[in-house]
Amino acid sequence: MKIISLISRISLMGLCLIPRQVIAQTLPLNSNLINFNSTPGETFLIESNARQDYIPLSLQFETQENLAYCGVASIVMVLNALSIPAPKAPEWRTYHRFTQQNLFDNSKTQAVMTSEMVAQGGMTLQQLGELLASYPINVNVYYGSDVSLQEFRQRIIDNLKQPNNFVLINYLRHTIGQEKGGHISPIAAYHKESDRFLILDVSRYKYPPVWVKAEDLWKAINTIDSASNKTRGFVLVSSQ
Ligand code: CA
């Protein structure tokens, strides 16, 4: 009895010593979304014929460094994936790479917004486009109010079939069944049979990458951003 009691106490002590935050935990997904980290999620990528961007983006996958930095993390991913000349990253001495800190070490970028402004209020679709355009790349911004579902689907699929260009999506999470507000992340692939896009969600502490129905995502960009009084949308970027 004493031995069992001692083991029990050690086990309880052990449990108490494990802080909850050491366990990586994301929020549960609604049934309309398919977790990339699942058997169907993996199968969709294997079956996809529009996944040119998956590998270059996954090699640069960032976690946003604060709650307002979804746009910053997404920009850093595509700039690194496009392999344009990057600034020095002091934490790695002489090595050059875009980071969520040095993205703003550029007078053209600062002229659009400062890092402090983004940290306080995030960014609108227009500001996302302008921040990207402060670097030597081609940028095309599309508002949800201006594109039909068919055009939305086709423009993104065409991009996902091509190398050296990328798609960033600005959508309302609530519309696709997530918590809760406006968000920005890259899209990495399309699965024709299920008509779903794969979002590489940069808030990796909150949600895994998900496959979302094209129509649900289109509805989620056709929502008004109160900061601009315009709809959200998507941005296509490519090398010059
Ligand atoms: Ca592409």
Side-chain angles (χ1 to χ4, degrees), residues 140-154:
N140 286 299
V141 175
Y142 297 87
Y143 286 87
S145 55
D146 296 339
V147 291
S148 65
L149 171 58
Q150 289 73 20
E151 181 183 357
F152 168 76
R153 183 191 284 115
Q154 199 56 53

Side-chain angles (χ1 to χ4, degrees), residues 204-225:
R204 293 163 66 169
Y205 50 84
K206 186 174 177 182
Y207 284 116
V210 292
W211 289 98
V212 55
K213 281 277 190 186
E215 185 169 3
D216 291 346
L217 195 54
W218 176 71
K219 287 177 180 171
I221 67 166
N222 267 291
T223 51
I224 298 292
D225 182 346

